[in-house]
Amino acid sequence: MPHDAASRAPAARPVITGVGVVSPFGFGYPVFREALAADRVAVTPIHVFDAADALVKVAGQVPVSEIRTEWLMEALGHLDGRLPEVASGGLRDRKLPFALLSALEAWRSAGSPPQSQGAALSLGLGLEQALLADFAPLFDDGRINWSDPVDDALPAVRFRAPLEGCADGVVELLSLGGPRVIHASACAS
């Protein structure tokens, strides 16, 4: 028997059952869909950090200037006064609360139960491991000057936004008990 694609049994196909979106247009899939259908643009001057010395001064940013614990708890809505452990250590890493919000929206829109111990998580993330604001002291004429002396904290900046933080938070938020996989391939993820 030949071993080609035509001779194999059909594989199970993935099915998208829920969608969650956090984008420069705002929060939620309906907001995102309506903005795209209206051909709106969400690129604005950078306000998340001081971009005065950066070469690029505009970006598509989620429209939240400061992420506070109270705001996140209200946005998530069902936590009975608690946040996932990874979020309780601070919310400087903006992708963490956005991952929690989009995951919860997708989970709810799929009609999933409040807890699903066998559910797995497959999470796609960009490779950002540091926060751009932490590099601001090194900007020199719009570029990072690596030859300047750096303070003792800067070498550790690379590890201030660990990739597994989002996965840990989503697993805890949704009480997932299955395996988790993180796909990190820069913007392509």
Side-chain angles (χ1 to χ4, degrees):
M1 177 180 250
H3 293 276
D4 60 14
S7 67
R8 289 188 217 141
R13 293 181 180 222
V15 177
I16 297 171
T17 57
V19 178
V21 177
V22 173
S23 76
F25 296 115
F27 298 94
Y29 176 68
V31 170
F32 180 71
R33 183 188 64 236
E34 289 168 18
L36 291 180
D39 203 22
R40 289 187 18 227
V41 175
V43 175
T44 61
I46 294 173
H47 61 78
V48 178
F49 62 92
D50 182 5
D53 293 329
L55 289 176
V56 177
K57 298 185 184 346
V58 296
Q61 304 166 98
V62 176
V64 176
S65 294
E66 181 185 359
I67 298 174
R68 296 177 328 281
T69 301
E70 300 79 22
W71 172 83
L72 181 58
M73 287 174 50
E74 183 180 327
L76 291 170
H78 82 295
L79 296 176
D80 301 324
R82 68 173 181 84
L83 283 176
E85 182 67 30
V86 71
S88 65
L91 296 172
R92 285 188 69 229
D93 183 4
R94 291 169 61 88
K95 72 179 172 290
L96 172 62
F98 300 157
L100 297 174
L101 290 167
S102 61
L104 185 59
E105 181 188 15
W107 190 255
R108 288 176 173 167
S109 74
S112 299
Q115 295 186 349
S116 185
Q117 292 301 318
L121 173 67
S122 178
L123 184 64
L125 292 173
L127 278 180
E128 176 218 348
Q129 290 182 318
L131 305 176
L132 288 176
D134 292 333
F135 287 101
L138 298 177
F139 280 140
D140 181 17
D141 195 27
R143 301 187 192 290
I144 294 177
N145 184 348
W146 294 107
S147 64
D148 280 353
V150 296
D151 64 14
D152 292 340
L154 194 56
V157 76
R158 182 171 182 265
F159 304 105
R160 287 188 186 171
L163 292 177
E164 68 274 5
C166 289
D168 291 346
V170 170
V171 164
E172 185 180 341
L173 176 71
L174 300 178
S175 300
L176 304 179
R180 67 181 179 132
V181 177
I182 300 169
H183 308 274
S185 301
C187 298
S189 60

